Amino acid sequence: MRDEGFSEDRVVFVAVLLLALASGATASDQRYLFNKLDLAAGKSPSAVATGDFRGIGKLDLGVANRDSNSISVFLGKPDGTFQRAVDYDVLASPLSVAVGDFNRDHKPDIVVADRSVSRVSILLGNGDGTFQPHVDYPSGTGTPPALYFIATGDFNNDGKLDLAVANIDSGLIDILLGKGDGTFLPFIEHPGGFGHPDSLAVGGFNNDGKLDLASTSEGSNGVSVWLGNGDGTLGVPQSYFGDWAYHRSVTVADYNGDGNLDLAVNGSQGIWIFPGKGDGTFGMPMSYVPVGGDDLISVDIDGDGAPDITGASAIPTAIFNTPVAALYPNRFDFGRQSLSTSSVSRTATFSNAGPAPIFIKSIALTSLNRTEFTETHTCGDTLAPGENCTITVASTPVTAGFKWAYVTILDNAQHKLQEVTLTGTAVAP
């Protein structure tokens, strides 16, 4: 997370409004109340990263403080609160922070992008929540230099973490290859995409086993994609465009469940999802409700197995990547019918109208008179976005009187349960 303009000496964690994604480009409001927690950091905290710095299963925080040139480390407590910060000096104007194991000792380390001096600072972790003094590496050639965002990944497939750095002034992307001992080779510059890169996301966009990069650009409506060559170098960037307003952040995940990574871009007019084709290119974007803040995060907030999107701001918003089920018709009345006969079959269509797969747990007849109806279906265990299946029912009464039952579908869609109501009246011949 990064916020260049936040000047109060604290990190604010607050969630007051979440938006649940509906079908198409709309969203239905759902409000949840969370506790707010203010933590005293250094001056002008600009970015935060998480990691288990002690290896005890508790998340800790590393916060970059732009104007005090430091990193604040908050160690997590069992109750979800944090200990008082311990500060570590870095160089000048740290604006982005990331966590990774750069010397392969299974202890999380911290890296920051020092905006004003064109350096990245590495703080190796001791495994007990403390860190060694920073060691610095050059990156970027802008005048004045402006390292704006840093990301980690193994860009040359040697099993050692590398760094990708966005230089907002020069418009270049730098790759620093890791040696696996906590040190790095000199940076390799790559041409920027559209505009000046201010956010990075790492992923495998063409499914070739080589990491790729995506970046938004300051003040533009573009997102650029570099396909990795697998040796630490990047190909020629390809740019994609959303609305006619600037984009601020990019994150990646498989939002539609097709096995290909997609791009989510936060613009001033809303979230734009660029569906990945699996070959390194992306389709036309779909627009969703805005998410506050400069940085997007893909995370499964509601635990349904589908990636959601949230943003970092004083009043953050989340978009739930929730399957949306459509069932039509949802009621059949078979009217008057003679005992021991079978009615004409009726068919309902069950569709996935949302952006994520529907996982069907069961389809069954329920309620008191369930044995006096029959049901068959063409549905499997999973219904992909845009797909549908059919449910066929008939009335087969064996006792006289009014009959009613349901076809009940249990799944992971928005309301977890869908029903087709069945009614009819059985009479003696």
Side-chain angles (χ1 to χ4, degrees), residues 67-83:
D67 290 341
S68 56
N69 303 326
S70 65
I71 294 291
S72 294
V73 173
F74 297 87
L75 299 181
K77 298 180 181 180
D79 62 358
T81 62
F82 295 86
Q83 298 178 24

Side-chain angles (χ1 to χ4, degrees), residues 99-252:
V99 172
D101 183 9
F102 303 122
N103 58 354
R104 298 189 294 178
D105 63 353
H106 307 292
K107 302 170 185 176
D109 311 310
I110 292 176
V111 59
V112 299
D114 294 303
R115 177 177 183 178
S116 300
V117 293
S118 197
R119 297 288 190 273
V120 296
S121 295
I122 303 292
L123 293 83
L124 295 179
N126 296 317
D128 59 359
T130 65
F131 292 84
Q132 299 174 30
H134 63 90
V135 178
D136 311 307
Y137 298 87
S139 178
T141 56
T143 306
L147 306 187
Y148 208 80
F149 200 96
I150 194 164
T152 66
D154 182 7
F155 296 108
N156 59 349
N157 285 340
D158 65 352
K160 305 165 187 175
L161 269 186
D162 312 311
L163 305 176
V165 185
N167 190 321
I168 196 170
D169 279 355
S170 68
L172 301 176
I173 300 294
D174 295 339
I175 300 293
L176 288 79
L177 296 179
K179 297 181 180 180
D181 58 0
T183 65
F184 293 83
L185 295 172
F187 67 90
I188 306 169
E189 283 190 331
H190 296 82
F194 182 84
H196 300 275
D198 62 357
S199 173
L200 293 174
V202 179
F205 303 137
N206 58 349
N207 297 315
D208 65 352
K210 304 168 185 176
L211 284 183
D212 312 309
L213 274 178
S215 174
T216 53
S217 297
E218 182 187 40
S220 82
N221 66 328
V223 57
S224 299
V225 173
W226 294 259
L227 297 182
N229 296 318
D231 59 0
T233 63
L234 305 173
V236 177
Q238 175 67 47
S239 295
Y240 300 86
F241 300 93
D243 60 1
W244 297 105
Y246 67 92
H247 291 157
R248 301 190 297 257
S249 177
V250 61
T251 186
V252 301

